[in-house]
Amino acid sequence: MNSGGNQKSASGPDAGQMLRDTDLGALSVVIPAYNEGAGIARTVSDLVAACPDAEVIVVDDGSTDATPSILRTLEGVTVLTHDRNRGYGAALKTGIRATSRRFIAWYDGDGQHSPADLMAVARPALEGEFDVVIGVRGSDSAKQMDRLVGKALLRWVAQFLTGARIPDLNSGLRCFRRDLLRRYLHLFPDGFSASTTSTILVMERGYRLGYVPIRAMRRTGTSTVKIVSDGLAALNLIVRLVVLFKAFKVFSLLGLSLIVPGLLYGVTLALTRGEGFPTLAGTAVIAGMLTFFLGIVADQVAELRKERFEDPWTD
């Protein structure tokens, strides 16, 4: 597989060209829900009505509002419950482990997505065109202005480290092959960085990645995302994942960032002052060389770890 991923765009079909309901028998839809009492009933009911053949699993992540009682009244859906709030990623993992179909879609419980967009995203995966399909929110999608700068920064860092364009890093509407998703499930965090993690994993492992334009509506209720803490967690996770999959690239860049300035500084002073190679420059060069060779070791360890990811998942 190519390390950069195989990314393409897939255009969503018109409503009249959507998959027939019977074609969704291979699809499981996982909906994490935490204090979504304001809109969870309509979100789930609309989805079940539009996709009756899909397996719908809602994970109540320790909600303290009316969400649990509302979920108990809904039909055509499997409800799983956490005894406490464990996080968006933890709810997704619980739902993913409970799925029984060949494909898994993520679907937010806050009313941002429509069943039509879900089917548009699922179609290329179900038809075998892509291994993973991500819904890309367009300019007409609802936006939370206080998060725009943070999201742009995270996407820039992810694109710089991966060397690939990422149209939408953390869209909550996406569809996967189940065997692929469960193979990497242990790497997923419990917090809001699960979407970011899955995007980078797919790209770094070179799976066929497709993008479908969607329109995200304004969410119902209040967001539980903590901008600073969740943003820092996502940034930390991006670096950890890229180090796992491109350890030599990361450490070699860090090493060269010490070696090159150290050599330039040291040689310049040695030639102009005639006092030999300065201690500070020597320290920088040695630190850079140690970092560079540490990258070689880290890369070999990462390669040994990655071998197990290539074994097919056995149910």
Side-chain angles (χ1 to χ4, degrees):
M1 291 181 288
N2 298 324
S3 61
N6 183 4
Q7 304 171 46
K8 299 180 182 178
S9 294
S11 59
D14 295 333
Q17 298 173 321
M18 289 294 180
L19 289 169
R20 300 185 306 276
D21 289 337
T22 52
D23 293 326
L24 296 178
L27 181 67
S28 295
V29 183
V30 177
I31 305 175
Y34 175 60
N35 289 347
E36 300 289 0
I40 191 66
R42 181 175 179 179
T43 297
V44 175
S45 298
D46 288 351
L47 178 62
V48 172
C51 312
D53 287 343
E55 177 183 52
V56 179
I57 298 175
V58 181
V59 181
D60 170 28
D61 188 29
S63 297
T64 57
D65 65 352
T67 299
S69 58
I70 292 173
L71 290 176
R72 286 194 292 269
T73 68
L74 301 179
E75 298 181 355
V77 57
T78 299
V79 178
L80 305 176
T81 303
H82 288 168
D83 57 357
R84 60 181 176 82
N85 179 238
R86 293 168 52 191
Y88 177 79
L92 282 173
K93 288 188 284 187
T94 295
I96 290 167
R97 292 187 180 102
T99 58
S100 61
R101 311 289 175 86
R102 292 181 54 241
F103 296 89
I104 299 175
W106 298 0
Y107 196 85
D108 288 342
D110 54 15
Q112 290 193 73
H113 306 312
S114 69
D117 278 344
L118 169 66
M119 290 187 281
V121 168
R123 179 185 59 83
L126 293 172
E127 293 181 351
E129 185 178 356
F130 297 106
D131 300 309
V132 178
V133 181
I134 297 175
V136 178
R137 293 163 290 186
S139 58
D140 58 343
S141 294
K143 298 178 177 64
Q144 291 183 280
M145 303 305 295
D146 56 345
R147 297 188 202 169
L148 290 181
V149 175
K151 287 185 175 181
L153 176 61
L154 285 176
R155 188 170 70 172
W156 180 84
V157 171
Q159 290 182 153
F160 174 75
L161 292 175
T162 60
R165 178 177 175 271
I166 306 176
D168 198 329
L169 180 64
N170 51 10
S171 170
L173 181 57
R174 49 189 65 202
C175 185
F176 305 79
R177 281 189 2 235
R178 179 174 180 265
D179 62 330
L180 180 159
L181 185 57
R182 292 193 58 172
R183 188 179 305 169
Y184 299 98
L185 201 59
H186 64 287
L187 294 177
F188 281 35
D190 286 345
F192 278 98
S193 302
S195 299
T196 301
T197 302
S198 65
T199 302
I200 295 179
L201 280 171
V202 169
M203 296 179 69
E204 288 301 309
R205 300 312 294 150
Y207 290 105
R208 297 175 301 160
L209 173 59
Y211 296 106
V212 169
I214 63 171
R215 179 177 180 270
M217 295 165 282
R218 188 171 299 279
R219 67 163 286 131
T220 302
T222 304
S223 174
T224 56
V225 176
K226 300 178 181 64
I227 297 175
V228 175
S229 61
D230 289 327
L232 290 175
L235 182 60
N236 173 61
L237 192 65
I238 289 173
V239 175
R240 289 178 61 192
L241 286 171
V242 175
V243 168
L244 172 62
F245 292 111
K246 287 187 176 179
F248 182 72
K249 176 180 178 179
V250 173
F251 282 97
S252 62
L253 288 175
L254 290 175
L256 290 174
S257 69
L258 292 170
I259 293 173
V260 174
L263 285 175
L264 290 175
Y265 172 70
V267 171
T268 300
L269 287 187
L271 293 177
T272 56
R273 296 183 179 181
E275 298 177 355
F277 204 76
T279 302
L280 179 60
T283 302
V285 172
I286 293 173
M289 293 180 63
L290 290 174
T291 302
F292 182 85
F293 288 115
L294 177 61
I296 296 177
V297 175
D299 185 68
Q300 294 302 309
V301 173
E303 287 299 321
L304 291 174
R305 290 189 63 196
K306 285 187 289 188
E307 284 184 5
R308 64 187 291 266
F309 295 150
E310 302 306 324
D311 295 331
W313 180 274
T314 301
D315 286 319

